[in-house]
Amino acid sequence: MMKAAMSSPVSQILKKIEYSADAAQPRLNQKELAYELEAVQDWRALSDLASAWRDIGWGNNVSYSRKVFIPLTHLCRDVCHYCTFAKAPRVVGPAFLTVEQALEIARAGAAAGCREALFTLGDRPEARYAAAREALQQLGHASTASYVAEVAQRVRAETGLLPHFNMGVLSAAEYQALRPHAPSFGIMLETASERLSERGGPHYGSPDKHPAVRLETMRLAGEAHIPITSGILIGIGETRRERLESLFALRDLHDRYGHLQEVIVQNFRAKAGTKMVNAPEPSMDELCWTTAAARLILGSAMSIQVPPNLFEGDLTDLIRAGINDWGGVSPITPDHVNPEAPWPHLERLSDVTARGGKVLVERLTVYPQYIDARDQWVDPGLHRDLLLHSDCGGLARTDGKWIAGSSTATDISSLQMQTTIPNADSISPQTIDIVNKCLSGDRLEEADLVHLFKVRGNDFAYVTQTANRLRQETNGDNITYVVNRNINYTNVCQYHCNFCAFSKGRVEESLREKPYIVELDEIRRRVREAWDRGATEVCLQGGIHPDYTGHTYLDICSAAKTECPDIHIHAFSPLEIMHGAQSLGRTVKAFLSDLKKAGLSTLPGTAAEILDDEVRRQICPDKLNTQEWLTVIRTAHELGLRTTATIMFGHVESYRHWAQHILKLIELQRNTRGLTEFVPLPFVHEEAPLFRRNRSHQGPTLREAVLMHTVGRLAFHGLIDNIQTSWVKMGEQGSQLCLQAGVNDLGGTLMNESISRAAGAAHGQELPPAAMAALAAGLGRTAVQRTTLYGRVSIERQQAAQAALPLTPVKYVKAGRLVRGEGHQVLRTVASS
């Protein structure tokens, strides 16, 4: 709502702006309206609209990049009349830093937790100074750009820092040569006014500062698909109209190429020793006016930054004016362009951001949308480093050392779980609206779920604790689990899923386990032992052995059910169902009916990974597609076979893919009501081929893993009552966090879990009832044994589980060709030829 004291003419301007803007991604579309803003004297009249539009695009987060400055050279062929960065050779001494000097700075930055190495240097010094040319020759390079490439490559290889180049004007060939060494570049437009390059202007004598030259350089970056940072410099003699025209020039470029990742609004600071030492500096109110105008012109989706070290006033004013980013902040090096203005300490910046009603978050040098679309925007050689540094939302990975499958007891310390719901005044209205949609059962959109996956700070506490309250209302305070046994009857698989370290080829022995099969007699023995140890369920899954047919799955199911008629057979992923049906020339429905007659009770909803074919083409290109997975599950439900639903997340996908996956499950459940539980499975990366080939994240962050469970509770409210956490992947402490954020179930005791352990998880094998009880007691809750379908378990089964003897060592047979006898049962294997 606009301020009551606003003058009528300004109110009319803002109403026209709002009316003409698109609601989803609003921005000021007409230049004539923008020019009317010139008459607005008080920037606060624009702040409500600017803030609202910022919130649409960026929510409650205000970002910064933790970086180190590497001033590779202070030489520059330009003579901007306000600049103290550029110096003559007689002043700077050696023309360039050596590689070792640059590495020394980078190492210090890496040790201080920096992720970005900002290379600052002047425009083409070799075009003006013989000293630069001679120095480059001695370094073995013909140009500054060539030397920058060498130094950046060494910095990235030896410290892991991501380079960002502020090199000024570059040619198309230079962009192509430098693109493999930095995921993002920067070049300030400063102004689109040619007047300021004329005699007496601040850019007179600076050929690289001519607006046409700068804009052409930015155009070339767009042609090269390079994300760039640009911006305007205010207070150097330009008019308000010229600032607005500069912002429109930047917007026009971005509309054409989509490569402008952020726009900086920077205020001129008068510096001793320059021609403009006595020039008046712009007021902080004028800076806020320009910032608000930039937000309205560039819209909700553009990142707008104002450097905090150049602002002399209350930094929360900049938040009110519409910024979403503080830019790069270095804990160890000064701002070499503005050395008189020290960086604010990050603790102070965090406090200021919180006082402005926002959460300070760390980003990388390249923005999330470009990491998400990295195949288009970032050189493939840089993908590994981007994925290692970033979470699945494209921001910096800041959850300490926690990784899925880790057993380190202190891993969860990075995430502070608040156990009460914060005051509504401290939560973004958008978050409250989306949560209310979940609670009322309204239809959710992709953007709603993406927003929930992004929440931090008080918004994070609000959604996790609302989900936990919902869990208590739906399930009470008991924590349920099932005593079961996993029987992975073969790890041989004819598919080549890039995330899987469990499945093997017939002769592959490079990872944790050799190729094996489990024969029927051993399956029977394991089923009987599980029953004797109190199990009510056996979970049967395996790789797709090339010799397996639908008869194999029928035999396995029959053997288990015959051995223990009362045990629940929870078996066969949708991939196994489809393979079995196709191998026999049967429909999925007919084959599922056969399995049901053989004793199948329910299906695990595994092999879902991410229900998005864009992702599946990267992680499991030869596996069943999204529609095929949904068809198998839907058909099972039609036959009265209930299933679980899983998501395997934290590899190559982004939040929008998570959202699409959940929306597909919501639609399925609305139609069938056959899903018993939602089971998030964080990607365990250590031995996964995808990670070993430098093509994936190292799993989700702890915050993301907890949020997947929380969002599941909220999104499936009224549709799926049970949200399960995988203690194998989350660990016991991570599972406790999830149990405080909407989860009611710990899954199975497992007995012989092997799939996650093959991928590198330290947990697994078994978490017996006593350990389940201890885990629940640590939260002041009670662990209760359940059946697969969440029914009550007999006292006899509970007592058997509590008194279980140690497991007998399992038996495997080295994989080979299968030989079948009468009735299709596996009699033995013979060695592969």
Side-chain angles (χ1 to χ4, degrees), residues 639-667:
L639 292 171
L641 292 167
R642 301 191 72 186
T643 75
T644 65
T646 65
I647 182 171
M648 194 269 289
F649 63 105
H651 34 87
V652 304
E653 79 296 349
S654 64
Y655 296 161
R656 63 187 173 89
H657 299 115
W658 299 358
Q660 291 164 10
H661 182 105
I662 288 174
L663 290 173
K664 289 182 176 72
L665 293 179
I666 288 173
E667 190 63 27

mmCIF file of all heavy atoms in Angstrom, residues 639-667:
data_model
loop_
_atom_site.group_PDB
_atom_site.id
_atom_site.type_symbol
_atom_site.label_atom_id
_atom_site.label_comp_id
_atom_site.label_asym_id
_atom_site.label_seq_id
_atom_site.Cartn_x
_atom_site.Cartn_y
_atom_site.Cartn_z
ATOM 1 N N LEU A 639 -5.263 -51.671 -9.419
ATOM 2 C CA LEU A 639 -5.390 -53.078 -9.040
ATOM 3 C C LEU A 639 -5.429 -53.281 -7.527
ATOM 4 O O LEU A 639 -5.430 -54.412 -7.053
ATOM 5 C CB LEU A 639 -4.228 -53.878 -9.625
ATOM 6 C CG LEU A 639 -4.215 -54.020 -11.155
ATOM 7 C CD1 LEU A 639 -2.903 -54.642 -11.616
ATOM 8 C CD2 LEU A 639 -5.395 -54.869 -11.613
ATOM 9 N N GLY A 640 -5.421 -52.184 -6.789
ATOM 10 C CA GLY A 640 -5.455 -52.292 -5.335
ATOM 11 C C GLY A 640 -4.098 -52.474 -4.701
ATOM 12 O O GLY A 640 -4.008 -52.773 -3.497
ATOM 13 N N LEU A 641 -3.038 -52.319 -5.480
ATOM 14 C CA LEU A 641 -1.677 -52.394 -4.948
ATOM 15 C C LEU A 641 -1.219 -50.986 -4.606
ATOM 16 O O LEU A 641 -1.017 -50.160 -5.493
ATOM 17 C CB LEU A 641 -0.730 -53.017 -5.980
ATOM 18 C CG LEU A 641 -0.942 -54.494 -6.305
ATOM 19 C CD1 LEU A 641 -0.150 -54.879 -7.555
ATOM 20 C CD2 LEU A 641 -0.525 -55.370 -5.124
ATOM 21 N N ARG A 642 -1.064 -50.701 -3.344
ATOM 22 C CA ARG A 642 -0.629 -49.371 -2.944
ATOM 23 C C ARG A 642 0.894 -49.257 -3.074
ATOM 24 O O ARG A 642 1.606 -50.269 -3.088
ATOM 25 C CB ARG A 642 -1.085 -49.071 -1.523
ATOM 26 C CG ARG A 642 -2.613 -49.142 -1.364
ATOM 27 C CD ARG A 642 -3.074 -48.593 -0.049
ATOM 28 N NE ARG A 642 -2.952 -47.135 -0.029
ATOM 29 C CZ ARG A 642 -3.186 -46.388 1.047
ATOM 30 N NH1 ARG A 642 -3.528 -46.963 2.198
ATOM 31 N NH2 ARG A 642 -3.064 -45.070 0.994
ATOM 32 N N THR A 643 1.369 -48.030 -3.165
ATOM 33 C CA THR A 643 2.798 -47.798 -3.381
ATOM 34 C C THR A 643 3.277 -46.621 -2.543
ATOM 35 O O THR A 643 2.487 -45.803 -2.077
ATOM 36 C CB THR A 643 3.100 -47.464 -4.861
ATOM 37 O OG1 THR A 643 2.671 -46.112 -5.130
ATOM 38 C CG2 THR A 643 2.391 -48.412 -5.816
ATOM 39 N N THR A 644 4.589 -46.555 -2.394
ATOM 40 C CA THR A 644 5.194 -45.349 -1.862
ATOM 41 C C THR A 644 5.500 -44.406 -3.025
ATOM 42 O O THR A 644 5.287 -44.743 -4.185
ATOM 43 C CB THR A 644 6.490 -45.677 -1.100
ATOM 44 O OG1 THR A 644 7.447 -46.207 -2.031
ATOM 45 C CG2 THR A 644 6.243 -46.695 -0.013
ATOM 46 N N ALA A 645 6.019 -43.226 -2.712
ATOM 47 C CA ALA A 645 6.498 -42.293 -3.736
ATOM 48 C C ALA A 645 7.805 -41.704 -3.240
ATOM 49 O O ALA A 645 7.907 -41.287 -2.084
ATOM 50 C CB ALA A 645 5.476 -41.190 -3.984
ATOM 51 N N THR A 646 8.806 -41.684 -4.099
ATOM 52 C CA THR A 646 10.116 -41.175 -3.706
ATOM 53 C C THR A 646 10.541 -40.026 -4.607
ATOM 54 O O THR A 646 9.955 -39.785 -5.665
ATOM 55 C CB THR A 646 11.190 -42.280 -3.793
ATOM 56 O OG1 THR A 646 11.333 -42.678 -5.168
ATOM 57 C CG2 THR A 646 10.822 -43.484 -2.945
ATOM 58 N N ILE A 647 11.550 -39.317 -4.160
ATOM 59 C CA ILE A 647 12.259 -38.361 -5.004
ATOM 60 C C ILE A 647 13.734 -38.484 -4.637
ATOM 61 O O ILE A 647 14.086 -38.505 -3.469
ATOM 62 C CB ILE A 647 11.753 -36.918 -4.817
ATOM 63 C CG1 ILE A 647 12.489 -35.945 -5.755
ATOM 64 C CG2 ILE A 647 11.886 -36.456 -3.381
ATOM 65 C CD1 ILE A 647 11.896 -34.536 -5.777
ATOM 66 N N MET A 648 14.605 -38.632 -5.627
ATOM 67 C CA MET A 648 16.047 -38.688 -5.394
ATOM 68 C C MET A 648 16.620 -37.365 -5.902
ATOM 69 O O MET A 648 16.609 -37.092 -7.093
ATOM 70 C CB MET A 648 16.648 -39.880 -6.131
ATOM 71 C CG MET A 648 18.065 -40.222 -5.675
ATOM 72 S SD MET A 648 19.302 -39.373 -6.664
ATOM 73 C CE MET A 648 19.169 -40.242 -8.205
ATOM 74 N N PHE A 649 17.129 -36.544 -4.977
ATOM 75 C CA PHE A 649 17.400 -35.146 -5.305
ATOM 76 C C PHE A 649 18.778 -34.717 -4.828
ATOM 77 O O PHE A 649 19.348 -35.300 -3.907
ATOM 78 C CB PHE A 649 16.334 -34.250 -4.665
ATOM 79 C CG PHE A 649 16.316 -34.280 -3.147
ATOM 80 C CD1 PHE A 649 16.820 -33.215 -2.412
ATOM 81 C CD2 PHE A 649 15.791 -35.367 -2.459
ATOM 82 C CE1 PHE A 649 16.800 -33.231 -1.016
ATOM 83 C CE2 PHE A 649 15.775 -35.393 -1.068
ATOM 84 C CZ PHE A 649 16.282 -34.321 -0.350
ATOM 85 N N GLY A 650 19.303 -33.687 -5.493
ATOM 86 C CA GLY A 650 20.580 -33.130 -5.092
ATOM 87 C C GLY A 650 21.712 -33.461 -6.047
ATOM 88 O O GLY A 650 22.882 -33.415 -5.648
ATOM 89 N N HIS A 651 21.402 -33.740 -7.306
ATOM 90 C CA HIS A 651 22.445 -34.124 -8.264
ATOM 91 C C HIS A 651 22.612 -33.056 -9.337
ATOM 92 O O HIS A 651 23.497 -32.205 -9.242
ATOM 93 C CB HIS A 651 22.155 -35.507 -8.858
ATOM 94 C CG HIS A 651 20.707 -35.815 -9.042
ATOM 95 N ND1 HIS A 651 19.990 -35.471 -10.172
ATOM 96 C CD2 HIS A 651 19.826 -36.414 -8.201
ATOM 97 C CE1 HIS A 651 18.732 -35.866 -10.028
ATOM 98 N NE2 HIS A 651 18.595 -36.431 -8.849
ATOM 99 N N VAL A 652 21.789 -33.069 -10.386
ATOM 100 C CA VAL A 652 21.957 -32.083 -11.467
ATOM 101 C C VAL A 652 20.769 -31.131 -11.582
ATOM 102 O O VAL A 652 20.808 -30.178 -12.359
ATOM 103 C CB VAL A 652 22.168 -32.786 -12.829
ATOM 104 C CG1 VAL A 652 23.348 -33.732 -12.780
ATOM 105 C CG2 VAL A 652 20.903 -33.531 -13.280
ATOM 106 N N GLU A 653 19.737 -31.377 -10.823
ATOM 107 C CA GLU A 653 18.467 -30.689 -11.020
ATOM 108 C C GLU A 653 18.410 -29.405 -10.201
ATOM 109 O O GLU A 653 19.322 -29.097 -9.436
ATOM 110 C CB GLU A 653 17.309 -31.621 -10.656
ATOM 111 C CG GLU A 653 17.006 -31.774 -9.175
ATOM 112 C CD GLU A 653 18.110 -32.411 -8.348
ATOM 113 O OE1 GLU A 653 19.083 -32.954 -8.895
ATOM 114 O OE2 GLU A 653 18.013 -32.352 -7.101
ATOM 115 N N SER A 654 17.312 -28.669 -10.355
ATOM 116 C CA SER A 654 17.116 -27.435 -9.607
ATOM 117 C C SER A 654 15.744 -27.463 -8.946
ATOM 118 O O SER A 654 14.977 -28.415 -9.099
ATOM 119 C CB SER A 654 17.236 -26.220 -10.532
ATOM 120 O OG SER A 654 16.213 -26.232 -11.510
ATOM 121 N N TYR A 655 15.432 -26.394 -8.216
ATOM 122 C CA TYR A 655 14.171 -26.362 -7.462
ATOM 123 C C TYR A 655 12.945 -26.493 -8.356
ATOM 124 O O TYR A 655 11.918 -27.049 -7.944
ATOM 125 C CB TYR A 655 14.073 -25.065 -6.658
ATOM 126 C CG TYR A 655 15.119 -24.901 -5.582
ATOM 127 C CD1 TYR A 655 15.401 -23.636 -5.057
ATOM 128 C CD2 TYR A 655 15.828 -25.990 -5.065
ATOM 129 C CE1 TYR A 655 16.357 -23.462 -4.066
ATOM 130 C CE2 TYR A 655 16.783 -25.819 -4.087
ATOM 131 C CZ TYR A 655 17.052 -24.554 -3.588
ATOM 132 O OH TYR A 655 18.002 -24.387 -2.609
ATOM 133 N N ARG A 656 13.019 -25.966 -9.555
ATOM 134 C CA ARG A 656 11.843 -26.079 -10.434
ATOM 135 C C ARG A 656 11.560 -27.541 -10.769
ATOM 136 O O ARG A 656 10.389 -27.928 -10.938
ATOM 137 C CB ARG A 656 12.032 -25.245 -11.700
ATOM 138 C CG ARG A 656 13.176 -25.653 -12.590
ATOM 139 C CD ARG A 656 13.389 -24.669 -13.737
ATOM 140 N NE ARG A 656 14.583 -24.974 -14.485
ATOM 141 C CZ ARG A 656 14.624 -25.797 -15.522
ATOM 142 N NH1 ARG A 656 13.509 -26.384 -15.941
ATOM 143 N NH2 ARG A 656 15.753 -26.018 -16.169
ATOM 144 N N HIS A 657 12.608 -28.360 -10.860
ATOM 145 C CA HIS A 657 12.390 -29.778 -11.128
ATOM 146 C C HIS A 657 11.787 -30.467 -9.909
ATOM 147 O O HIS A 657 10.931 -31.355 -10.050
ATOM 148 C CB HIS A 657 13.704 -30.448 -11.508
ATOM 149 C CG HIS A 657 14.334 -29.887 -12.746
ATOM 150 N ND1 HIS A 657 15.538 -29.225 -12.737
ATOM 151 C CD2 HIS A 657 13.904 -29.857 -14.036
ATOM 152 C CE1 HIS A 657 15.829 -28.844 -13.964
ATOM 153 N NE2 HIS A 657 14.862 -29.202 -14.768
ATOM 154 N N TRP A 658 12.231 -30.070 -8.713
ATOM 155 C CA TRP A 658 11.602 -30.620 -7.504
ATOM 156 C C TRP A 658 10.113 -30.290 -7.490
ATOM 157 O O TRP A 658 9.272 -31.145 -7.171
ATOM 158 C CB TRP A 658 12.256 -30.042 -6.251
ATOM 159 C CG TRP A 658 13.709 -30.320 -6.082
ATOM 160 C CD1 TRP A 658 14.527 -31.058 -6.898
ATOM 161 C CD2 TRP A 658 14.538 -29.859 -5.010
ATOM 162 N NE1 TRP A 658 15.804 -31.074 -6.404
ATOM 163 C CE2 TRP A 658 15.855 -30.357 -5.245
ATOM 164 C CE3 TRP A 658 14.311 -29.086 -3.880
ATOM 165 C CZ2 TRP A 658 16.920 -30.092 -4.385
ATOM 166 C CZ3 TRP A 658 15.380 -28.813 -3.016
ATOM 167 C CH2 TRP A 658 16.664 -29.316 -3.258
ATOM 168 N N ALA A 659 9.816 -29.057 -7.823
ATOM 169 C CA ALA A 659 8.423 -28.622 -7.811
ATOM 170 C C ALA A 659 7.591 -29.415 -8.813
ATOM 171 O O ALA A 659 6.471 -29.863 -8.503
ATOM 172 C CB ALA A 659 8.352 -27.125 -8.122
ATOM 173 N N GLN A 660 8.109 -29.607 -10.011
ATOM 174 C CA GLN A 660 7.376 -30.359 -11.024
ATOM 175 C C GLN A 660 7.144 -31.794 -10.585
ATOM 176 O O GLN A 660 6.074 -32.373 -10.830
ATOM 177 C CB GLN A 660 8.139 -30.312 -12.351
ATOM 178 C CG GLN A 660 8.149 -28.929 -12.995
ATOM 179 C CD GLN A 660 9.203 -28.793 -14.073
ATOM 180 O OE1 GLN A 660 9.827 -29.769 -14.492
ATOM 181 N NE2 GLN A 660 9.435 -27.562 -14.518
ATOM 182 N N HIS A 661 8.132 -32.388 -9.947
ATOM 183 C CA HIS A 661 8.001 -33.753 -9.441
ATOM 184 C C HIS A 661 6.852 -33.842 -8.435
ATOM 185 O O HIS A 661 5.983 -34.725 -8.529
ATOM 186 C CB HIS A 661 9.325 -34.147 -8.784
ATOM 187 C CG HIS A 661 9.383 -35.551 -8.253
ATOM 188 N ND1 HIS A 661 10.077 -36.554 -8.879
ATOM 189 C CD2 HIS A 661 8.836 -36.121 -7.139
ATOM 190 C CE1 HIS A 661 9.958 -37.673 -8.187
ATOM 191 N NE2 HIS A 661 9.209 -37.427 -7.119
ATOM 192 N N ILE A 662 6.850 -32.933 -7.477
ATOM 193 C CA ILE A 662 5.815 -32.957 -6.445
ATOM 194 C C ILE A 662 4.434 -32.708 -7.052
ATOM 195 O O ILE A 662 3.449 -33.359 -6.673
ATOM 196 C CB ILE A 662 6.146 -31.931 -5.349
ATOM 197 C CG1 ILE A 662 7.345 -32.442 -4.522
ATOM 198 C CG2 ILE A 662 4.944 -31.658 -4.454
ATOM 199 C CD1 ILE A 662 7.860 -31.459 -3.504
ATOM 200 N N LEU A 663 4.335 -31.794 -7.992
ATOM 201 C CA LEU A 663 3.038 -31.510 -8.611
ATOM 202 C C LEU A 663 2.504 -32.730 -9.365
ATOM 203 O O LEU A 663 1.284 -32.985 -9.354
ATOM 204 C CB LEU A 663 3.156 -30.314 -9.558
ATOM 205 C CG LEU A 663 3.385 -28.956 -8.871
ATOM 206 C CD1 LEU A 663 3.651 -27.879 -9.915
ATOM 207 C CD2 LEU A 663 2.189 -28.570 -8.004
ATOM 208 N N LYS A 664 3.376 -33.504 -9.989
ATOM 209 C CA LYS A 664 2.934 -34.721 -10.673
ATOM 210 C C LYS A 664 2.415 -35.740 -9.668
ATOM 211 O O LYS A 664 1.409 -36.435 -9.924
ATOM 212 C CB LYS A 664 4.077 -35.304 -11.501
ATOM 213 C CG LYS A 664 4.442 -34.494 -12.740
ATOM 214 C CD LYS A 664 5.558 -35.160 -13.529
ATOM 215 C CE LYS A 664 5.865 -34.400 -14.815
ATOM 216 N NZ LYS A 664 6.549 -33.130 -14.586
ATOM 217 N N LEU A 665 3.091 -35.850 -8.523
ATOM 218 C CA LEU A 665 2.618 -36.782 -7.495
ATOM 219 C C LEU A 665 1.297 -36.326 -6.886
ATOM 220 O O LEU A 665 0.428 -37.154 -6.573
ATOM 221 C CB LEU A 665 3.679 -36.925 -6.399
ATOM 222 C CG LEU A 665 4.993 -37.610 -6.796
ATOM 223 C CD1 LEU A 665 5.936 -37.659 -5.599
ATOM 224 C CD2 LEU A 665 4.738 -39.009 -7.339
ATOM 225 N N ILE A 666 1.132 -35.025 -6.715
ATOM 226 C CA ILE A 666 -0.133 -34.502 -6.199
ATOM 227 C C ILE A 666 -1.271 -34.877 -7.131
ATOM 228 O O ILE A 666 -2.344 -35.351 -6.692
ATOM 229 C CB ILE A 666 -0.052 -32.974 -6.018
ATOM 230 C CG1 ILE A 666 0.838 -32.619 -4.818
ATOM 231 C CG2 ILE A 666 -1.448 -32.373 -5.843
ATOM 232 C CD1 ILE A 666 1.101 -31.130 -4.670
ATOM 233 N N GLU A 667 -1.060 -34.668 -8.416
ATOM 234 C CA GLU A 667 -2.111 -34.999 -9.392
ATOM 235 C C GLU A 667 -2.408 -36.497 -9.397
ATOM 236 O O GLU A 667 -3.564 -36.921 -9.459
ATOM 237 C CB GLU A 667 -1.670 -34.538 -10.790
ATOM 238 C CG GLU A 667 -2.761 -34.598 -11.839
ATOM 239 C CD GLU A 667 -3.928 -33.666 -11.533
ATOM 240 O OE1 GLU A 667 -3.724 -32.642 -10.846
ATOM 241 O OE2 GLU A 667 -5.067 -33.986 -11.976
#
